[in-house]
Amino acid sequence: MVTFLPSRPGRLADVPSFTRAIGGAETNVACALAAAGHRAKWVGRVGGDGFGDHLVEVVGGHGVDVSAVGRDPHRPTGIYFRTDEDRATDAHEVVYYRAGSAASAMSPATVPYESVAGARILHLTGITAALSGDCLALLRELTAPRPGRPLVSFDVNHRPALWRGGDAPGVLLELARRADVVFVGADEAERLWGLRGAREVFDAVSGPEVVVVKLGGGGAVAADRSRAARAGLEDGDGTATHVPAPRVDVVSPIGAGDAFAAGFLSATLRGLDLRARLRHGHLMAAAALTVPGDLAAPPRRDRLDRLAALDDAAWGTLHLGPGWTEADEKDPGRTGEGPEGPGRAGDDQEVRTP
């Protein structure tokens, strides 16, 4: 959908003007992965209007394949307005105008499974499930067990404003259990399911091979059940990995969760270990946190790899601020060769995001 960003901090009632941009968790992930050198495809629907034109052009301009985006001549493109505050605070406001939108009419009939079947990873979020009964039916179809199914990545992404009257706790837990990789914030797990601590989340979200619990400034912890199975261990026993987040001078908190998912999935496609996947998630999130908008160009891949390979002591000293993705290499927290674009290695890899 199209998002309208406030011209200054404050309540929506007090903001005098807004800037148009693209919005949507799935498109944020797709754009970040394309910038990181992967082939990404966005599958969805927009209206046959100017806002739909804008979305397709901008997302495509980020290097994402938009050939499977449908145009609905009878329904508008969704829009929303938000304040600039962190979603975790009471000061954050968001107003959605997406009831009856083209995206809310997605269904198994309008988004066939064949449009995503060729991907290595299929990334979904709980936001889509909240839009309509047809959208929920689509996510149930896409997460259904079947031979050759892509690895399904699911970000819980609970948005209370979209779930008024709906069974958010039950639906989101159901979808999470059907996925292969799950991302959930510790705060939203407590709000949704009354779960406290990563261990309770790992126990409740049974089914996925990998569950990532984001701890805000405390970093992230992940459990890899596939590794436990290979080692002959009980689920979760001895397989949890915690990686603290680097210190970041935050410009805007919006979009960091999507960037984290993109970094983690990028490292997953490259076959990196769990600690490296978490570190790449933190680094991509740091890129988003240090720019004003939702999207940020990541550092070159070799620079990300060098940072992710730091020993624990050096990782603990990282302090990243605005411009760090283009800084010269002077110390472990200032790596790189300048503002060249991201490396394009790994073009045989593909992610699709309805």
Side-chain angles (χ1 to χ4, degrees), residues 7-19:
S7 57
R8 63 174 177 80
R11 302 182 312 154
L12 286 177
D14 300 327
V15 175
S17 60
F18 297 81
T19 300

Side-chain angles (χ1 to χ4, degrees), residues 61-261:
H62 278 84
V64 177
D65 181 350
V66 293
S67 61
V69 178
R71 306 301 295 268
D72 191 325
H74 306 296
R75 297 177 178 86
T77 302
I79 63 173
Y80 84 112
F81 296 78
R82 65 166 173 82
T83 55
D84 200 37
E85 285 74 22
D86 190 332
R87 285 194 179 98
T89 70
D90 293 337
H92 180 73
E93 296 177 74
V94 60
V95 179
Y96 294 99
Y97 296 94
R98 60 193 311 174
S101 68
S104 72
M106 289 190 298
S107 70
T110 60
V111 183
Y113 174 77
E114 290 71 25
S115 64
V116 303
R120 290 178 61 190
I121 294 178
L122 170 63
H123 182 66
L124 309 168
T125 81
I127 296 173
T128 302
L131 299 183
S132 68
D134 283 343
C135 284
L136 176 55
L138 172 62
L139 261 64
R140 284 174 168 152
E141 171 75 9
L142 295 177
T143 57
R146 67 178 79 207
R149 186 185 82 170
L151 184 147
V152 173
S153 164
F154 181 72
D155 194 334
V156 172
N157 256 335
H158 178 225
R159 298 289 184 267
L162 296 175
W163 284 97
R164 291 173 183 146
D167 179 22
V171 168
L172 293 174
L173 185 58
E174 171 202 344
L175 293 173
R177 287 172 171 172
R178 293 160 68 106
D180 300 302
V181 177
V182 170
F183 302 94
V184 62
D187 55 344
E188 65 182 345
E190 182 172 359
R191 182 174 65 244
L192 273 171
W193 306 314
L195 303 174
R196 295 190 176 185
R199 176 56 57 195
E200 289 190 11
V201 178
F202 297 153
D203 290 342
V205 184
S206 57
E209 288 189 357
V210 177
V211 177
V212 180
V213 180
K214 296 175 288 184
L215 308 174
V221 59
D224 186 346
R225 295 190 177 99
S226 62
R227 186 175 65 181
R230 288 195 301 270
L233 302 173
E234 295 181 1
D235 276 358
D237 189 13
T239 64
T241 298
H242 173 252
V243 172
R247 182 180 172 189
V248 178
D249 295 331
V250 177
V251 173
S252 173
I254 307 300
D258 302 328
F260 180 95

